[in-house]
Amino acid sequence: VMWLDLDVFLFQSPTPHVLKQQRSGEYELLISGAFAVDCVCSGVVFFRAVPRTRKWLEELLVWMYEHPYEHDQKAVSAFLRAGER
């Protein structure tokens, strides 16, 4: 499953690169990074359709629903325990 933010402009399809990365390991989630700072950018995300990823997304969406004024990118980063570096 691919997630693309509406403000993402694709110059080319990310599909070949994403599939190559996904095949090279047992990744359940591939997420883009930001250009300006060293942090997670949830503009382009690949989710492997497995129960563990589904549960993670359900928990994230429940948390975002209960905290409607939080930014989705910061929530994703927090749920990945990535933080801003």
Side-chain angles (χ1 to χ4, degrees):
V1 176
M2 288 290 295
W3 162 321
L4 294 173
D5 273 358
L6 293 176
D7 62 348
V8 171
F9 181 83
L10 299 174
F11 289 98
Q12 61 185 8
S13 172
T15 304
H17 181 70
V18 168
L19 292 177
K20 179 181 175 187
Q21 291 298 315
Q22 191 271 324
R23 281 191 288 262
S24 70
E26 289 298 317
Y27 301 110
E28 295 177 4
L29 179 93
L30 296 171
I31 191 164
S32 57
F35 289 110
V37 294
D38 184 18
C39 68
V40 166
C41 175
S42 61
V44 181
V45 185
F46 168 81
F47 301 97
R48 183 187 290 249
V50 294
R52 188 168 127 159
T53 305
R54 178 181 170 193
K55 176 129 179 75
W56 183 85
L57 274 172
E58 287 175 352
E59 290 174 6
L60 173 65
L61 292 174
V62 166
W63 189 91
M64 289 174 62
Y65 179 80
E66 292 173 350
H67 301 85
Y69 299 106
E70 293 295 332
H71 192 279
D72 65 317
Q73 188 161 295
K74 289 188 176 200
V76 168
S77 183
F79 268 68
L80 290 172
R81 295 185 177 104
E84 293 185 23
R85 298 179 278 286

